Amino acid sequence: VNGRLEVRDARVETGNDSAREAIKRYHEQTLELARHAVRRFGVEEREFQATSLLFNSKNILKAKELIREFRSRFSVLFEETSGDQLYQFQMQLYPVSKKIQPMEKK
């Protein structure tokens, strides 16, 4: 309204672990926005973090639960109906290698 952002509807959520094509496209689009943001915005306006770690894949459900809890708490703390700028908040956790098979005991 009058060149300003206005909250029109409540938050839309898809639920966890949705594999629908529309959701995949949405995630691809937000990753593309993030890729451009690295060059478009200075460090004072953005935050990018990355960590590579050796991870036991049996802990993926606990890791996803913690990420979801953090995202929810973050939104509660910082989302405002009278904010002055729209930000995209993303976190990613994904494998970057093939799964290592346990070594056989001798």
Side-chain angles (χ1 to χ4, degrees):
V1 177
N2 298 324
R4 297 180 55 89
L5 293 172
E6 181 179 306
V7 176
R8 300 296 297 231
D9 294 309
R11 177 190 314 239
V12 175
E13 296 195 22
T14 61
N16 295 326
D17 297 327
S18 176
R20 294 190 325 233
E21 184 60 29
I23 302 304
K24 290 177 184 178
R25 283 194 215 124
Y26 170 75
H27 287 295
E28 289 170 342
Q29 291 169 353
T30 60
L31 289 169
E32 187 66 16
L33 288 172
R35 189 175 76 82
H36 290 290
V38 169
R39 305 263 182 210
R40 184 173 175 201
F41 301 104
V43 295
E44 65 283 347
E45 293 183 272
R46 63 172 172 79
E47 180 67 21
F48 278 70
Q49 295 287 328
T51 300
S52 297
L53 60 148
L54 193 54
F55 187 83
N56 191 326
S57 58
K58 73 178 184 183
N59 291 320
I60 191 69
L61 293 177
K62 282 195 277 186
K64 289 169 71 169
E65 183 180 306
L66 185 60
I67 289 169
R68 291 167 181 165
E69 180 183 314
F70 175 76
R71 186 206 47 88
S72 179
R73 291 181 62 208
F74 186 91
S75 294
V76 167
L77 284 171
F78 295 106
E79 190 170 36
E80 300 181 35
T81 58
S82 61
D84 63 352
Q85 193 166 10
L86 181 64
Y87 270 72
Q88 177 72 25
F89 178 65
Q90 297 175 186
M91 294 180 285
Q92 294 89 25
L93 174 67
Y94 52 89
V96 294
S97 71
K98 292 182 179 181
K99 195 175 227 181
I100 299 169
Q101 298 301 321
M103 294 181 64
E104 292 181 26
K105 294 182 180 181
K106 293 182 181 181

